[in-house]
Amino acid sequence: MRGMWRINPFYWINKKRFGSAKRPAKVQTFDQRFIGKYNANTQYVKTPNTYQAKTASQIEILRKQRSYHLKQESRKLKKQTKQVNYFNLANLNPTRWSKRTVRIFTTAFFLIMLPIYLYIGFQPNLDLKALSYPTLEIGDIKLETPVAPIELVDRRLEAPDTIAGIYTPSEHKRFIIGHSSTVFKNLYRLRAHAKFTYDGVEYQVTEISTIRKADVDMNSILAPAEKDTVIIMTCAGEPLPNQDATHRLIITAERITEE
């Protein structure tokens, strides 16, 4: 069961703390401390298991001190051994974390959540009404967008900002427009004879053309058709102010009929 805790992310945050708890702390022996305090330039010099001193009384004092410190170190080591906890569950409690652990966890959480927040924030904000609109799906360019109905105002059609708009001039003609900077940014990749779906009906591309803005004949585009036809238009060429451009990309598609 102890190994199951390794899947807990808090275990890896406190891994260093756990590793240090698995072995007793190193205690400097009396001999090591003595060497650090008395070197060859002083009156005491360490030799294996003996000390050279000027008088026998000094040697006896050193031996007693060494014996006393060895006993103290032995007791300290036994006490530390009893206190060793190989898996201290208290370290998994966030309220008992050190300041360093809290900073690491907070930084990691921020770095993970920031890209997710930015991705969600830059997604198109669609209202509930858009969910009831028919959908245009073009699999070749991975496009799926609601298509809102639009009306002709002062002989002009205004496309929505982030989705497509449709104008129906006659029974068998549907005219779909959208901005090339948002919804139709990949429409130029669509090729002839490609298929797409609008409102559950499948269409096939029959013509693709790029025309200068001044040469676009809207009367011809909106003229009635004998077959069910969808015309998709967006900006192309050099960009102009107010989400406009020098040319228009026009795609004509006809409904696929079952034989």
Side-chain angles (χ1 to χ4, degrees):
M1 290 297 294
R2 187 168 59 192
M4 292 295 293
W5 284 97
R6 294 182 182 275
I7 65 176
N8 192 320
F10 299 133
Y11 169 81
W12 300 105
I13 294 175
N14 295 274
K15 183 177 180 182
K16 183 178 180 181
R17 190 180 300 178
F18 295 150
S20 61
K22 291 183 179 180
R23 52 185 180 275
K26 293 183 179 179
V27 179
Q28 192 178 29
T29 63
F30 172 75
D31 292 341
Q32 292 171 337
R33 291 197 300 270
F34 183 85
I35 294 173
K37 186 175 181 180
Y38 301 99
N39 53 35
N41 296 327
T42 61
Q43 58 181 342
Y44 302 109
V45 179
K46 178 182 178 301
T47 59
N49 300 323
T50 59
Y51 294 94
Q52 294 178 353
K54 293 181 180 180
T55 63
S57 60
Q58 292 175 340
I59 294 175
E60 186 65 23
I61 292 174
L62 290 174
R63 286 177 177 175
K64 291 182 179 180
Q65 290 180 348
R66 184 174 184 276
S67 177
Y68 171 79
H69 285 291
L70 287 175
K71 291 180 180 179
Q72 294 294 326
E73 291 166 3
S74 177
R75 293 175 183 175
K76 189 174 182 179
L77 287 174
K78 289 180 180 179
K79 185 177 180 181
Q80 288 180 350
T81 303
K82 292 180 180 179
Q83 294 177 349
V84 168
N85 188 352
Y86 291 98
F87 205 87
N88 188 3
L89 297 181
N91 291 330
L92 301 180
N93 186 354
T95 60
R96 302 185 63 180
W97 287 353
S98 64
K99 293 183 179 180
R100 179 177 177 274
T101 303
V102 172
R103 286 196 298 267
I104 293 174
F105 179 81
T106 304
T107 303
F109 180 80
F110 178 78
L111 293 177
I112 293 173
M113 293 304 298
L114 179 62
I116 298 175
Y117 176 80
L118 293 177
Y119 175 79
I120 295 175
F122 283 106
Q123 294 302 305
N125 186 16
L126 301 178
D127 54 15
L128 296 177
K129 190 177 180 180
L131 299 178
S132 62
Y133 295 153
T135 303
L136 174 65
E137 299 181 19
I138 307 178
D140 290 355
I141 59 175
K142 298 180 180 179
L143 171 65
E144 181 177 355
T145 176
V147 183
I150 56 177
E151 298 294 336
L152 190 63
V153 179
D154 295 332
R155 302 183 63 182
R156 295 187 60 184
L157 293 172
E158 292 292 339
D161 292 333
T162 58
I163 63 176
I166 184 170
Y167 174 67
T168 308
S170 60
E171 181 181 359
H172 300 294
K173 179 67 70 73
R174 292 172 178 83
F175 181 55
I176 300 176
I177 60 175
H179 293 295
S180 60
S181 58
T182 56
V183 61
F184 286 150
K185 62 182 178 181
N186 294 323
L187 190 63
Y188 69 94
R189 297 180 180 177
L190 193 63
R191 296 293 178 256
H193 307 295
K195 297 179 181 180
F196 62 86
T197 303
Y198 169 69
D199 197 15
V201 180
E202 193 172 19
Y203 294 83
Q204 186 172 22
V205 176
T206 58
E207 183 182 355
I208 299 177
S209 59
T210 302
I211 305 174
R212 289 178 55 187
K213 177 182 177 182
D215 297 335
V216 175
D217 186 0
M218 292 302 299
N219 293 327
S220 176
I221 291 175
L222 301 179
E226 296 181 359
K227 296 181 179 180
D228 285 344
T229 304
V230 169
I231 296 179
I232 304 175
M233 188 174 75
T234 189
C235 296
E238 297 298 326
L240 296 175
N242 299 324
Q243 292 186 322
D244 201 354
T246 57
H247 291 69
R248 294 292 185 266
L249 174 62
I250 302 175
I251 297 174
T252 305
E254 292 182 355
R255 180 175 181 174
I256 299 175
T257 58
E258 297 180 359
E259 298 181 356

